[in-house]
Amino acid sequence: MNERVYNFSAGPSMLPLSALERAGSEITNYRGSGMSVMEMSHRSKVFQQIFDETQEKLRRLMNVPDGYKILFLQTGASGQFSMIPLNLMGPNGKADYAVTGNFASIAAKEAAKYGTVNIAADTSDRNHSYIPTQEQLKLSPDASYFYYCANNTIYGTEWQYVPETGSVPLVCDMSSDILSRPVDVSKFGIVYAGAQKNMAPAGLTVVIIREDLAGHELPYTPLMMNYKTMIDKDSMYNTPPCWCIYMLGLTLDWVAEQGGVEGMEKLRTLRSSMLYDTLDNSRLFHCHAEKGSRSGMNVTFRTGNEELDAKFVQEAAAAGFTNLKGHRKTGGMRASIYNAMPVEGVEKLCDFIKAFDKNN
Amino acid sequence: MNERVYNFSAGPSMLPLSALERAGSEITNYRGSGMSVMEMSHRSKVFQQIFDETQEKLRRLMNVPDGYKILFLQTGASGQFSMIPLNLMGPNGKADYAVTGNFASIAAKEAAKYGTVNIAADTSDRNHSYIPTQEQLKLSPDASYFYYCANNTIYGTEWQYVPETGSVPLVCDMSSDILSRPVDVSKFGIVYAGAQKNMAPAGLTVVIIREDLAGHELPYTPLMMNYKTMIDKDSMYNTPPCWCIYMLGLTLDWVAEQGGVEGMEKLRTLRSSMLYDTLDNSRLFHCHAEKGSRSGMNVTFRTGNEELDAKFVQEAAAAGFTNLKGHRKTGGMRASIYNAMPVEGVEKLCDFIKAFDKNN
């Protein structure tokens, strides 16, 4: 097979072809510098320009207010699971966690190493097929922060509102839906995302932090997990993941060309409504997520028959739709339709679903 | 300038051109998979094969014995500065640190957060221009481990022997000289390296660990800093830095083609002896590192006149030799001549040095 496939992987996932082609065209010699971005000193002027421009592009696209710092870190969301309580919990502190999926659950367990965790919501009673309402949240007024995961990659649910927590800072894992819709960053204490779904190759974690939240870390906080140090050194305490930052910049150029986050939201609505409609109108397929809680990024569905699910995944792969197998926690299928998934890919998948539905 | 330059950066630094060209040729479609390595699910067969083969290539090239695990982690050497004491120090533990440069000094300070640090050697009395002898090391027989940095990037010194510490495990930062000479891994508890000098783009940290050393972490060890978890999950607890791992594999192919670490050692001896000879025979230039302690990777030198140093750096850059400015802690110049620096680059630099020496 010599053509590019429609890759429905939950992450790492598709990147804009224009970004990949641009990177390929300058991989041995970046714009006359005589070297690859992979070979540049992170302290060089040429790399500093890439770094600054990427930060600035993200600030513009997400409308990040003054008083917030954009950090380029590593170790994915799982690294943030520790970094957040280490820096925000405070001595003998307490934090609220809404557990709406696998990663929020791990985050809550990790936070319990460093303080008291109050489970503000837990949707495991219906296998995380829904998002709690504001009224259902059990909030602690004295919490150091409130933590939630905006989009649950495995279960295919997504928060359709920003929780109201008064003066308690909101901390949000947006790994799987960042840049897919407008977000009012000023409502948050921390927004963060592993880059490998909507932004860049794996190996970069973007953290947007209200600067006053840093500087209160627990004494045993590791050097590389100290937000204050990362803010003071502008993410260059040591060598950052330069190539991923560069790729993020190229992806952000593409996002801007498509009309920014508003453009991304239009595309996401187009893709997801087409797919949910197709599934809702089928005989065979059922969605895992409840209506009103459905994700615009990860569409989870199944036939209810494991053999038929396996047949679907196999035939889809043969037709050029890869990585449709669902996570073992939900079974069935999952189509991850992140920003870089062409609308055409979803149209073709819908046709495939209809044909499969008819023939089985 | 449209040609590639000779890049003497201390890191990130030159990569083999063949590796960059190969990566460029398959950047939008990896070997018929229909996707870039940057877009692949880390759980996919095609990426798992890249991962396994890269691990295996490194095991073969470095002759890593059974009982040792190769980990692909993140956050550079600075991440290891915390991870090592968190996992190896033990409760109320003690560790020996040989402070022969900037990064060993930071490592020792970081370790003091987690236990007692004994400074087994400190070469700051002569601005870290030498490496202590075995006899000069003040060893603690009850230390949990002995830590040193094999090559001091900033000062241009390098250990020419492996310390003898009896039953105390050796932990070594080889960030700037890994794969440049044969190493008997069986003598070590942990060997680790940030990849961005001799191995791959920034964003990958390679750790080779004797497996029995893991599993004794302090209770507040962050999830992503637990060696045991990383061993049990084969570095895939979460998404690893896939692109860097792939690039490492391509670099290792090149190392193998050049005769492996023995081949690298021949080249390193050729490059460094040529450069040191040129400097020793000059009128103007003096090396920072004392003979017997000189690095085969980072050659630090100066004229003793700051203006003349600046003129040298500027004229060298104009002639296509970039990043020769020394670190502020030593002043003067530094030529980093890692594995991927062509011998021709050093020959031409020597010619340039000779001409500069004659004309100034």
Side-chain angles (χ1 to χ4, degrees):
Chain A
M1 193 187 311
N2 282 313
E3 285 176 15
R4 280 174 57 83
V5 292
Y6 295 112
N7 175 12
F8 292 91
S9 165
S13 44
M14 291 188 85
L15 290 168
L17 183 58
S18 62
L20 293 171
E21 286 174 340
R22 178 81 199 233
S25 74
E26 54 199 26
I27 200 167
T28 61
N29 190 343
Y30 174 79
R31 305 181 196 183
S33 66
M35 60 185 90
S36 176
V37 173
M38 289 185 259
E39 303 175 296
M40 287 176 185
S41 168
H42 58 299
R43 308 283 181 205
S44 64
K45 275 184 200 159
V46 58
F47 181 73
Q48 187 70 52
Q49 190 179 352
I50 294 172
F51 185 97
D52 292 344
E53 286 179 2
T54 303
Q55 230 179 29
E56 194 45 43
K57 286 173 200 172
L58 187 60
R59 186 173 287 274
R60 205 160 44 229
L61 282 166
M62 289 191 66
N63 197 19
V64 176
D66 289 346
Y68 284 77
K69 186 85 182 172
I70 296 173
L71 300 177
F72 294 144
L73 306 181
Q74 300 180 59
T75 68
S78 303
Q80 294 305 305
F81 296 168
S82 317
M83 200 161 169
I84 289 159
L86 279 165
N87 286 270
L88 265 60
M89 188 74 93
N92 306 311
K94 179 178 173 178
D96 282 355
Y97 276 73
V99 176
T100 57
N102 185 56
F103 296 108
S105 168
I106 299 172
K109 281 194 197 103
E110 182 69 4
K113 280 185 195 166
Y114 308 108
T116 303
V117 167
N118 168 52
I119 301 299
D122 180 351
T123 55
S124 61
D125 58 331
R126 296 205 299 274
N127 198 19
H128 298 305
S129 59
Y130 70 103
I131 297 294
T133 63
Q134 171 75 42
E135 292 66 37
Q136 289 172 326
L137 300 176
K138 295 184 201 90
L139 301 174
S140 316
D142 58 340
S144 299
Y145 59 92
F146 174 94
Y147 181 100
Y148 76 112
C149 178
N151 184 78
N152 299 287
T153 320
I154 290 177
Y155 299 95
T157 61
E158 190 173 20
W159 291 64
Q160 310 297 342
Y161 69 101
V162 174
E164 182 51 64
T165 55
S167 62
V168 173
L170 275 178
V171 175
C172 185
D173 176 357
M174 293 192 187
S175 292
S176 51
D177 70 355
I178 196 164
L179 287 173
S180 77
R181 55 182 180 178
V183 166
D184 182 354
V185 175
S186 73
K187 288 187 176 172
F188 293 85
I190 293 179
V191 163
Y192 78 88
Q196 69 274 12
K197 297 164 196 287
N198 266 338
M199 299 201 287
L204 172 65
T205 315
V206 173
V207 176
I208 305 174
I209 179 170
R210 215 179 72 203
E211 292 188 43
D212 63 290
L213 293 175
H216 314 286
E217 69 281 356
L218 295 171
Y220 44 75
T221 301
L223 173 56
M224 291 299 292
M225 290 200 160
N226 185 324
Y227 285 131
K228 186 70 170 60
T229 304
M230 295 303 128
I231 290 172
D232 290 348
K233 298 289 183 182
D234 201 7
S235 306
M236 291 233 222
Y237 175 81
N238 69 353
T239 318
C242 303
W243 178 258
C244 294
I245 293 167
Y246 158 70
M247 287 302 306
L248 171 59
L250 296 181
T251 300
L252 295 177
D253 289 342
W254 175 85
V255 171
E257 286 160 16
Q258 310 297 310
V261 288
E262 290 79 10
M264 290 296 106
E265 189 178 36
K266 276 181 202 155
L267 289 173
R268 122 188 188 128
T269 305
L270 194 60
R271 281 189 303 257
S272 61
S273 56
M274 203 180 344
L275 193 43
Y276 283 119
D277 285 350
T278 301
L279 293 165
D280 287 342
N281 291 322
S282 75
R283 286 179 310 116
L284 286 175
F285 299 100
H286 309 276
C287 291
H288 177 73
E290 299 177 13
K291 282 182 184 174
S293 298
R294 286 174 168 181
S295 166
M297 296 278 110
N298 311 96
V299 178
T300 46
F301 58 105
R302 62 176 89 87
T303 64
N305 175 329
E306 284 187 26
E307 278 177 36
L308 203 54
D309 287 348
K311 189 183 176 203
F312 179 90
V313 170
Q314 195 183 3
E315 292 185 4
F321 309 104
T322 71
N323 289 307
L324 281 167
K325 191 170 189 295
H327 193 278
R328 65 187 156 71
K329 295 193 186 221
T330 52
M333 283 72 72
R334 173 176 52 182
S336 296
I337 46 176
Y338 297 120
N339 282 357
M341 170 59 67
V343 171
E344 185 198 59
V346 178
E347 282 169 351
K348 290 186 178 169
L349 177 62
C350 288
D351 291 344
F352 180 84
I353 290 171
K354 286 172 195 161
F356 189 92
D357 190 55
K358 196 174 159 191
N359 299 331
N360 285 278
Chain B
M1 194 187 308
N2 282 311
E3 286 177 16
R4 280 174 56 81
V5 293
Y6 295 112
N7 175 10
F8 292 91
S9 165
S13 44
M14 291 187 85
L15 290 167
L17 182 59
S18 62
L20 293 171
E21 286 174 339
R22 179 81 199 233
S25 73
E26 54 199 25
I27 199 166
T28 60
N29 189 344
Y30 174 78
R31 304 182 196 181
S33 65
M35 61 184 88
S36 176
V37 173
M38 289 185 260
E39 302 176 297
M40 286 176 186
S41 167
H42 58 299
R43 309 282 181 203
S44 65
K45 275 184 200 157
V46 57
F47 182 73
Q48 188 70 53
Q49 190 179 352
I50 293 171
F51 185 96
D52 293 343
E53 286 179 1
T54 303
Q55 232 180 27
E56 193 46 43
K57 286 174 198 171
L58 187 60
R59 186 172 288 276
R60 207 161 42 228
L61 281 167
M62 288 191 67
N63 198 20
V64 177
D66 290 347
Y68 285 78
K69 187 84 179 172
I70 296 173
L71 301 176
F72 295 143
L73 307 181
Q74 299 180 60
T75 68
S78 303
Q80 295 304 305
F81 296 169
S82 316
M83 200 160 169
I84 289 158
L86 279 165
N87 287 270
L88 266 59
M89 187 74 93
N92 307 309
K94 178 178 173 179
D96 284 354
Y97 276 72
V99 176
T100 57
N102 185 56
F103 296 107
S105 168
I106 299 171
K109 279 192 198 106
E110 181 69 3
K113 281 185 194 165
Y114 308 108
T116 303
V117 167
N118 169 53
I119 302 299
D122 180 350
T123 55
S124 61
D125 58 331
R126 295 203 301 272
N127 198 20
H128 298 306
S129 59
Y130 69 103
I131 297 294
T133 62
Q134 173 73 43
E135 292 66 37
Q136 289 171 325
L137 301 176
K138 295 185 202 89
L139 301 174
S140 316
D142 57 341
S144 298
Y145 59 93
F146 174 95
Y147 181 100
Y148 75 112
C149 178
N151 183 78
N152 298 285
T153 319
I154 290 177
Y155 299 95
T157 61
E158 191 173 20
W159 291 65
Q160 309 297 341
Y161 69 101
V162 174
E164 180 52 63
T165 56
S167 61
V168 173
L170 275 179
V171 175
C172 185
D173 176 355
M174 291 192 189
S175 293
S176 51
D177 70 354
I178 196 164
L179 287 173
S180 76
R181 55 182 181 179
V183 166
D184 182 352
V185 174
S186 73
K187 288 187 175 173
F188 294 85
I190 293 179
V191 163
Y192 78 89
Q196 69 273 16
K197 298 166 197 283
N198 265 338
M199 298 200 287
L204 172 65
T205 315
V206 173
V207 175
I208 306 173
I209 180 170
R210 216 179 70 204
E211 293 189 42
D212 64 290
L213 292 175
H216 313 289
E217 68 281 355
L218 295 171
Y220 45 73
T221 301
L223 173 54
M224 292 298 291
M225 289 200 160
N226 186 326
Y227 284 131
K228 186 69 171 61
T229 303
M230 296 302 127
I231 290 171
D232 289 348
K233 298 288 184 182
D234 201 7
S235 307
M236 291 233 221
Y237 175 81
N238 69 352
T239 319
C242 303
W243 177 259
C244 293
I245 292 168
Y246 158 69
M247 286 302 305
L248 171 60
L250 297 181
T251 300
L252 294 178
D253 289 342
W254 174 84
V255 171
E257 287 160 16
Q258 310 297 311
V261 288
E262 291 78 11
M264 290 296 106
E265 189 178 37
K266 277 181 201 156
L267 288 173
R268 119 186 191 130
T269 305
L270 196 58
R271 281 189 303 259
S272 60
S273 56
M274 204 180 345
L275 192 44
Y276 283 119
D277 285 350
T278 300
L279 293 165
D280 287 341
N281 290 322
S282 74
R283 285 180 311 116
L284 288 175
F285 299 101
H286 308 278
C287 291
H288 177 74
E290 299 177 13
K291 281 183 184 173
S293 297
R294 288 172 167 181
S295 165
M297 295 279 109
N298 311 96
V299 178
T300 46
F301 58 104
R302 62 175 90 89
T303 63
N305 175 329
E306 284 186 26
E307 280 178 34
L308 202 55
D309 287 348
K311 188 181 177 206
F312 179 90
V313 170
Q314 195 183 4
E315 293 185 2
F321 309 105
T322 71
N323 289 305
L324 280 167
K325 191 169 188 294
H327 192 279
R328 65 187 157 73
K329 295 192 186 223
T330 52
M333 282 72 72
R334 173 176 52 182
S336 295
I337 47 177
Y338 296 121
N339 282 357
M341 170 59 67
V343 171
E344 185 196 58
V346 178
E347 281 170 351
K348 288 185 178 170
L349 177 62
C350 289
D351 290 344
F352 180 84
I353 290 170
K354 284 174 197 161
F356 190 93
D357 190 56
K358 197 173 158 189
N359 299 332
N360 285 276

